[in-house]
């Protein structure tokens, strides 16, 4: 908020104080406190020029109350078929289905067997391996799927074996329960810097729901990665958005959830190959959005 905007917010409450003084009376302490509270509320609710019109209070909801009833981004109820179109959820369901039949023995190092990894990987976004046996440490999306299931206590590891929990059985047969569990973790607790380490681990972890909103707002057409890096950097100038933001959030997290598609050019720069991104139809099915105008965007 610049000085002119802040001055405009203060005009009416300050005019009331000045009117009281002109009448020969001194504003009492309670009146002054009330006027100052008005100023504070107006300042909080004023659109933030760096937040694409969201007020500081609205940004606070995106950052600290993800998917709450008043948050500008919320999780929708979806059909089982649509949930199954999300690559990461599809992998989770596949592993849970295996474990419902029988528990699975892990390798001596505690990883999933290569045959299981290959099956899970074929349902995700990992590139072709050229026939090479894929280990869990090589398949980042399989690692993330397992991490979500373990963190949400949908599966458990005991005595070198992995099995489905009672909570996991419920999630396997109620996909919306599974979806909400996964998204609550991935959008607020999961460390997106884990698989693509750069200098600042806060980049991408801060403001994930704002990144979802950016994709909703601007993702109908192909836009270069730099566009989203710039928008994120305007909202969070204390972070170096060029340090891994696009790869962590769009290249990995959003793509694993099937929310965006990536197009990579042959042009190589010092930062790597140039990329552009566009949202998929799934984004608006998974989430509902309220824009700063307060109007629900419900295609």
């Amino acid at each position: 908020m610049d000085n002119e905007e802040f001055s405009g917010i203060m005009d009416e409450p300050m005019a009331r104080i000045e009117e009281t003084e002109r009448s020969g009376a001194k504003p009492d302490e309670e009146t002054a406190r009330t006027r100052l509270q008005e100023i504070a509320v107006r300042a909080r609710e004023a659109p933030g020029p760096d937040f694409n019109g969201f007020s500081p209070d609205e940004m606070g909801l995106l950052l600290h109350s993800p998917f709450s009833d008043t948050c500008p981004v919320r999780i929708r109820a979806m059909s089982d078929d649509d949930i199954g179109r999300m690559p990461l959820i599809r992998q989770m369901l596949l592993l849970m289905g295996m474990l419902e039949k029988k528990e699975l023995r892990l390798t001596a190092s505690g990883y999933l067997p290569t045959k299981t990894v290959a099956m899970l990987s074929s349902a995700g976004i990992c590139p072709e391996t050229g026939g090479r046996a894929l280990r869990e440490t090589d398949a980042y999306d399989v690692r993330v799927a397992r991490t979500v299931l373990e963190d949400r206590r949908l599966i458990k590891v005991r005595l070198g074996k992995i099995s489905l929990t009672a909570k996991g059985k419920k999630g396997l047969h109620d996909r919306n329960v599974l979806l909400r569990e996964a998204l609550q973790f991935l959008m607020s607790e999961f460390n997106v810097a884990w698989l693509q380490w750069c200098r600042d681990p806060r980049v991408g972890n801060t403001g994930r729901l704002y990144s979802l909103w950016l994709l909703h707002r601007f993702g109908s057409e192909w836009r270069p990665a730099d566009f989203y890096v710039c928008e994120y950097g305007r909202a969070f100038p204390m972070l170096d958005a060029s340090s891994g933001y696009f790869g962590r959030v769009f290249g990995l997290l959003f793509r694993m959830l099937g929310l965006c598609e990536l197009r990579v050019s042959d042009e190589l720069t010092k930062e790597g190959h140039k990329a552009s991104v566009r949202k998929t139809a799934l984004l608006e099915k998974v989430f509902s959005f309220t824009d700063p105008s307060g109007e629900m965007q419900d295609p």
Side-chain angles (χ1 to χ4, degrees):
M1 183 186 311
D2 58 29
N3 291 335
E4 184 176 344
E5 289 172 311
F6 185 71
S7 176
I9 288 170
M10 292 184 67
D11 283 348
E12 186 181 343
M14 291 304 296
R16 293 181 193 173
I17 293 175
E18 289 171 3
E19 184 178 351
T20 302
E21 290 178 335
R22 281 196 300 270
S23 69
K26 284 284 185 182
D28 60 80
E29 185 176 339
E30 183 60 32
T31 300
R33 185 184 301 112
T34 299
R35 299 299 177 247
L36 290 173
Q37 285 174 345
E38 286 181 28
I39 292 171
V41 168
R42 291 179 181 221
R44 285 200 309 271
E45 293 178 347
D50 294 332
F51 300 151
N52 273 292
F54 282 117
S55 71
D57 277 355
E58 289 171 322
M59 281 298 290
L61 290 169
L62 288 168
L63 293 171
H64 306 301
S65 299
F67 307 130
S68 64
D69 290 344
T70 52
C71 180
V73 181
R74 291 167 301 284
I75 301 170
R76 292 183 187 272
M78 295 174 66
S79 70
D80 284 356
D81 286 344
D82 280 336
I83 292 174
R85 290 169 56 201
M86 303 173 73
L88 191 67
I89 306 297
R90 189 165 58 236
Q91 290 172 302
M92 292 166 59
L93 287 166
L94 181 57
L95 179 56
M96 294 167 75
M98 295 177 190
L99 297 176
E100 186 182 37
K101 296 175 182 176
K102 65 176 183 179
E103 60 185 10
L104 185 66
R105 182 171 293 280
L106 299 173
T107 68
S109 301
Y111 295 113
L112 296 168
T114 55
K115 183 181 292 187
T116 303
V117 173
M119 293 176 64
L120 296 175
S121 183
S122 66
I125 63 168
C126 273
E128 294 293 329
T129 63
R132 177 174 59 88
L134 201 64
R135 297 174 298 175
E136 184 181 339
T137 51
D138 300 322
Y140 53 78
D141 52 349
V142 175
R143 294 178 71 191
V144 174
R146 177 178 170 182
T147 297
V148 175
L149 290 171
E150 288 188 0
D151 183 271
R152 300 287 97 175
R153 295 181 173 83
L154 300 166
I155 62 176
K156 64 181 178 181
V157 176
R158 183 173 179 271
L159 300 177
K161 294 181 179 180
I162 189 169
S163 60
L164 197 64
T165 65
K167 182 180 179 182
K169 290 178 183 177
K170 180 180 179 181
L172 180 60
H173 298 287
D174 189 336
R175 293 189 177 185
N176 275 288
V177 168
L178 178 65
L179 177 67
R180 182 165 286 273
E181 289 280 348
L183 293 177
Q184 288 283 3
F185 173 68
L186 290 167
M187 294 299 166
S188 59
E189 301 173 42
F190 177 63
N191 178 14
V192 296
W194 174 41
L195 296 175
Q196 194 182 67
W197 186 257
C198 291
R199 291 183 295 276
D200 190 343
R202 298 174 300 167
V203 174
N205 281 319
T206 299
R208 261 169 286 194
L209 264 63
Y210 183 65
S211 296
L212 276 175
W213 183 85
L214 288 175
L215 183 61
H216 149 75
R217 174 66 179 81
F218 299 109
S220 296
E221 58 186 79
W222 288 102
R223 293 185 187 271
D226 288 349
F227 173 85
Y228 289 99
V229 170
C230 179
E231 289 295 326
Y232 183 79
R234 288 176 57 225
F236 306 104
M238 75 295 292
L239 304 178
D240 181 5
S242 65
S243 182
Y245 167 69
F246 184 82
R248 291 173 181 177
V249 175
F250 292 85
L252 292 178
L253 181 59
F254 289 177
R255 199 159 64 93
M256 285 190 287
L257 290 170
L259 306 177
C260 70
E261 52 185 330
L262 223 59
R263 191 165 63 186
V264 181
S265 73
D266 294 331
E267 185 180 351
L268 186 63
T269 68
K270 62 180 181 180
E271 288 84 19
H273 288 279
K274 284 193 171 182
S276 56
V277 67
R278 181 175 66 179
K279 68 181 177 182
T280 66
L282 268 177
L283 178 72
E284 313 291 345
K285 291 185 175 184
V286 180
F287 303 103
S288 63
F289 297 90
T290 301
D291 285 347
S293 64
E295 297 179 1
M296 180 72 73
Q297 303 300 300
D298 200 358

